[in-house]
Each structure stands twice: as C-alpha cells, then as structure tokens.
C-alpha cells in the first residue's frame, strides 16, 4: 500500500572496457502492505488476511553489472544483478480471520513476534530472486529499447 524511502545512494565504477558496475543502496525503507494467508495442519485448515509494516531500519544494497562489447564503441547490452543484500526488519504484523479463523488469528497475533524472523528471512530471499529475474529480463529489455533510440543519434548526419 505505502512505500517510503529515506535515501537512495548510487556508486559507479568501471571494472573493465566491457564491464561497469552501479551499486544502489536504499536506506530507510518503510513499506506497509496487505496479505492473504492459508494454513493446513492435520485436519485443520483455513485462511485469512493480514497487514504488515517494515521498520524504517530496513534497507537494501543491490549491485548491478552492465556489460558491453566495448564501452568505447558500444552501449551496454546486458545487466546482471551481482549482489543483493536486503535487511528486512518487520515492525508489526496483524492477522485477521472469520469464524474459527478469527480465533486462530488472535492466537497468531499473540505469537507474532516468533514468526518475524521466519517471515523476514523468506522476504529477503524472495526480494533477491525477484530482482535477479528482473535484471535478466526487464533491464535487458530496457537496454535494448534505449540502444535502439540512441542509434538514430549516432548515425552520420545527411550530407556529411
């Protein structure tokens, strides 16, 4: 639902004539979201909804490697997510349910603190796997689009 970022820091480095790196540090990441949950245990099962908030102490560091045939003559054609280091700190989670699930949601809310570490770890793993997929697909598509747009400006002028 809500996303707030305190600061974004970028650092650029040239690794070689074919590789450059951009490190992105996102500091003070605060997110509020809604979720659905389901459970199955023995012959008990049910579902419900909930809400979660990340603490402003959450952050992420992402290292992106941009690849070119040769940066002296060609723009980048590939992006790889080389590093992904999220720090997920959950501030609060609340669970809701209907009927018997309302009772279970109340019990889960009592022990919510015990679930935080597991949920934080799962979120960190999911964030990195999604970013790595994004780097392989969306960033590559963006580079192709930008490269084709720039090609018109790199052609010789008519009559030259």
């Amino acid at each position: 639902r809500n996303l707030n970022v305190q600061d974004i820091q970028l650092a650029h480095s040239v690794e070689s004539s074919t590789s450059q790196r951009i490190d992105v540090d996102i500091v003070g990441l605060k997110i509020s979201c809604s979720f659905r949950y389901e459970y199955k245990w023995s012959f008990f099962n049910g579902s419900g909804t909930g809400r979660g908030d990340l603490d402003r102490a959450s952050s992420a560091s992402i290292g992106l490697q941009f690849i070119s045939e040769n940066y002296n003559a060609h723009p980048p054609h590939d992006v790889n997510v080389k590093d992904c280091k999220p720090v997920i700190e959950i501030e609060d989670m609340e669970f809701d349910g209907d009927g018997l699930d309302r009772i279970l949601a109340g019990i889960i809310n009592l022990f919510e603190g015990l679930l935080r570490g597991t949920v934080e770890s799962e979120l960190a793993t999911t964030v990195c796997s999604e970013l790595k997929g994004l780097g392989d697909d969306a960033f590559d598509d963006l580079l192709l689009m930008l490269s084709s747009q720039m090609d018109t400006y790199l052609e010789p002028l008519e009559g030259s």
Side-chain angles (χ1 to χ4, degrees):
R1 292 183 300 177
N2 296 318
L3 169 66
N4 295 300
V5 174
Q6 183 178 347
D7 191 21
I8 297 176
Q9 301 167 357
L10 300 173
H12 172 259
S13 61
V14 176
E15 296 178 322
S16 69
S17 63
T18 61
S19 175
Q20 295 188 21
R21 182 179 172 108
I22 294 180
D23 292 307
V24 181
D25 291 325
I26 302 168
V27 180
L29 185 61
K30 179 139 174 83
I31 300 174
S32 296
C33 64
S34 302
F35 58 86
R36 293 189 44 76
Y37 68 91
E38 293 182 10
Y39 65 91
K40 290 182 183 179
W41 181 68
S42 185
F43 56 89
F44 297 103
N45 63 53
S47 62
T49 60
R51 185 183 64 76
D53 298 311
L54 284 189
D55 189 282
R56 190 164 292 284
S58 299
S59 62
S61 295
I62 303 152
L64 302 171
Q65 180 186 39
F66 291 81
I67 307 294
S68 170
E69 290 176 43
N70 181 344
Y71 270 103
N72 294 324
H74 301 282
H77 60 81
D78 194 16
V79 180
N80 298 314
V81 178
K82 297 304 278 184
D83 297 309
C84 179
K85 299 173 190 160
V87 176
I88 307 292
E89 299 287 336
I90 295 176
E91 181 179 327
D92 186 35
M93 291 190 306
E94 292 183 19
F95 297 84
D96 295 315
D98 295 327
L100 290 176
D101 293 330
R102 180 176 299 262
I103 295 169
L104 179 67
I107 294 169
I108 292 173
N109 282 326
L110 288 174
F111 296 102
E112 170 247 329
L114 299 174
L115 292 173
R116 283 187 189 184
T118 301
V119 173
E120 290 167 348
S121 176
E122 289 295 321
L123 281 173
T125 301
T126 301
V127 164
C128 287
S129 66
E130 289 295 319
L131 276 174
K132 288 182 181 186
L134 180 67
D136 290 342
D137 298 328
F139 283 136
D140 290 350
D141 292 343
L142 176 65
L143 287 176
L144 284 172
M145 182 197 68
L146 289 173
S147 179
S148 66
Q149 301 250 340
M150 287 175 45
D151 283 346
T152 58
Y153 296 103
L154 298 175
E155 295 173 0
L157 294 174
E158 289 183 24
S160 298

